Structure formats: C-alpha cells, structure tokens
Amino acid sequence: MKIIAGNWKINNIPKETTNFFGKLNKLFSNTHAKTSNIIIAPPYVSLQAALDSNNNDIKIFAQNCHWETDNSHTGEISVTMLKEMGISGVILGHSEQRILGECDNIINKKIKTVLEFGLNTIFCVGENLQEYQKNNSKNVIKSQILNGLKNINIINTSQNNNIIIAYEPVWAIGSAQTASLEFIREITNFIKQIVNNKFVKILYGGSVNSENIQKILKISDNINGVLIGRASVTPEEFFLCIKNT
Ligand code: PEP
C-alpha cells in the first residue's frame, strides 16, 4: 500500500484540526479505504487535537524536533515529549528548515535521536532550482543522504523500517510545478541505489494534488508514496488525493 503523507506546515489551528478530522472520519466511514498508510503532520500546537480527533489509524507526525532530550533549548520540542504524547514520527530535513540554516550534521543528529527513541522519520532531500539547472541534482541528493544517514545502520531491520526518504525537489515545492515523471523515476531509482536497502521507503513530494497523484504513484515500484503540502490542508482535497490513488 502506498504511503500518503500530509505536511500542514503552519496551517490548521487546534479547532480547525478537530474539524478536519471530523470531516475526514466521515468521508472515510463511507468507504472501505484503509488508513494505516496515511500520515498527517500538523504544527506542534495542533498535535494533541489531531491525536484526540483521529478515529482511524492515521499516523500523526511532528514537523521537526530537537536532537537533545534535556539541557537548555528554549523554544524547542524534544523527541521524548513527542513520544510521550503518542506521536509516531517526525519530518526531518525539510527544505523549508534547511533554508533557515539546518545543515546535514544537525539533521543527522535529529534522525539518530528519533530512531533511538523508536519513532519514524520522513527524511527530506532534494536539490534547489540552481542545482537542478546545473545538472547537479544527483550529487546534491547523494551528499544529503550520505551525510544525513551518517553512522546510522540502515541495514538493521528495526531501524530501517523507520526511515522513509522523501525526494522533494525544492523548485517543485509549493510551485504548482511537479518534476517530470521521467525525472522523478530517474532520481528515485538513484536514491534506491544509494541506500541499497529494500526496506527504506521512498516518497515523492512537490506540488502533488488529487489530479496528478495517480500518475506519480504509478511511475515505478521504487515510489512508495507521496508527501503532500498544500493539497493536504483541507479534508476534502486530501481525501480526494487518497481516493485517487
Ligand atoms: C512539502 O512542503 O513537503 C510539499 C511537498 O509541499 P507542496 O505539496 O505544497 O508542494
């Protein structure tokens, strides 16, 4: 079953989150669709509302975390806090965090902590427009993956079940411009070769919506799902994405 993950970014306050799940639960109740392959990542303040109003087995993820679980880190959220709440995993390495200065080394520390505490991660990689135009996508992605997963034993089954890599070309995020199907196929095959592990799942993200989702998921067996931003924020559009898979 393909993974359908929604990244809400800074959308949906707690009240809207409760309404979202109320509507989504209703939409699902009229179908036989499974929900164990669905992930939703609300902003921190709406995580509890999502956990409380999720009647299905949709996995609730956070959009970030700190790599330490104690010491002084004003304004941060630890993995142990997320685990205690019942959060299943964390999106890490998103380009919108990398743009703010998050480097491979920090992402690597965060992934290690998330795995150490038994949570899952959607680890995002992807080249920016300039790198894409210079034909440098593969070098950038390879270095992000090798650095992000440095000293992590992805051959270890208990850990590698927890790592999902999302290929998100930065130029395709929120731009209404997806990468071509051929390019997505080439890069996701390349990522599969780098990790060399059949248990690591690979998602594509970048302007996925209910109209293009089917074509993207059909590209190859190396695409295990999608990470959706804008089209995951309303229950109607997100449900349509799921229905159209
Ligand atoms: C994202 O932010 O991870 C994303 C893929 O956004 P969008 O679908 O809006 O391009």
Side-chain angles (χ1 to χ4, degrees):
M1 215 174 356
K2 302 277 188 179
I3 297 168
I4 314 292
N7 170 18
W8 286 359
K9 311 187 187 200
I10 53 173
N11 297 290
N12 288 339
I13 59 172
K15 201 166 79 182
E16 290 164 335
T17 300
T18 306
N19 287 340
F20 177 103
F21 277 91
K23 285 189 187 155
L24 194 68
N25 291 337
K26 233 186 231 157
L27 290 165
F28 269 115
S29 67
N30 299 326
T31 70
H32 297 293
K34 293 227 167 19
T35 52
S36 59
N37 56 321
I38 297 169
I39 295 170
I40 294 180
Y44 287 135
V45 293
S46 298
L47 288 174
Q48 193 59 54
L51 291 166
D52 291 344
S53 52
N54 171 22
N55 285 349
N56 297 293
D57 51 1
I58 294 172
K59 310 285 179 300
I60 307 299
F61 273 42
Q63 295 174 20
N64 203 354
C65 65
H66 198 269
W67 65 90
E68 285 198 346
T69 53
D70 54 18
N71 291 324
S72 305
H73 299 294
T74 303
E76 296 287 346
I77 301 282
S78 74
V79 176
T80 41
M81 288 172 176
L82 298 172
K83 187 175 168 131
E84 174 77 22
M85 287 180 80
I87 296 304
S88 306
V90 187
I91 296 177
L92 292 172
H94 194 281
S95 60
E96 286 153 13
Q97 285 297 325
R98 289 180 191 263
I99 287 167
L100 295 178
E102 193 171 72
C103 62
D104 288 339
N105 182 34
I106 296 289
I107 295 164
N108 177 245
K109 289 197 223 181
K110 291 182 176 184
I111 296 176
K112 282 181 180 160
T113 309
V114 163
L115 296 177
E116 184 191 332
F117 285 92
L119 266 63
N120 307 294
T121 182
I122 295 180
F123 164 38
C124 303
V125 297
E127 79 285 7
N128 64 29
L129 184 60
Q130 224 180 7
E131 293 158 343
Y132 172 68
Q133 286 169 337
K134 284 189 176 155
N135 246 333
N136 206 16
S137 306
K138 287 187 179 170
N139 288 334
V140 171
I141 292 161
K142 185 171 182 180
S143 132
Q144 287 175 342
I145 292 177
L146 295 183
N147 290 328
L149 298 181
K150 199 170 171 183
N151 296 328
I152 294 172
N153 179 6
I154 57 167
I155 304 298
N156 177 320
T157 320
S158 66
Q159 282 197 350
N160 64 30
N161 276 336
N162 296 344
I163 301 173
I164 300 168
I165 296 180
Y167 168 53
E168 298 206 303
V170 181
W171 48 273
I173 296 179
S175 67
Q177 181 193 4
T178 51
S180 75
L181 300 183
E182 195 40 57
F183 191 71
I184 298 173
R185 178 184 298 116
E186 187 182 334
I187 299 293
T188 46
N189 288 347
F190 177 68
I191 293 175
K192 200 78 186 175
Q193 273 172 23
I194 298 171
V195 291
N196 190 22
N197 188 306
K198 63 180 177 180
F199 295 110
V200 176
K201 304 250 182 352
I202 301 171
L203 313 182
Y204 168 77
S207 298
V208 177
N209 56 41
S210 57
E211 282 169 24
N212 60 23
I213 191 166
Q214 206 170 33
K215 274 195 205 140
I216 291 169
L217 288 176
K218 277 194 184 144
I219 291 176
S220 88
D221 288 345
N222 282 342
I223 297 196
N224 303 105
V226 284
L227 179 54
I228 309 174
R230 208 170 7 173
S232 71
V233 173
T234 64
E236 293 82 8
E237 174 68 4
F238 191 52
F239 183 74
L240 212 53
C241 288
I242 297 163
K243 214 174 124 210
N244 288 353
T245 58

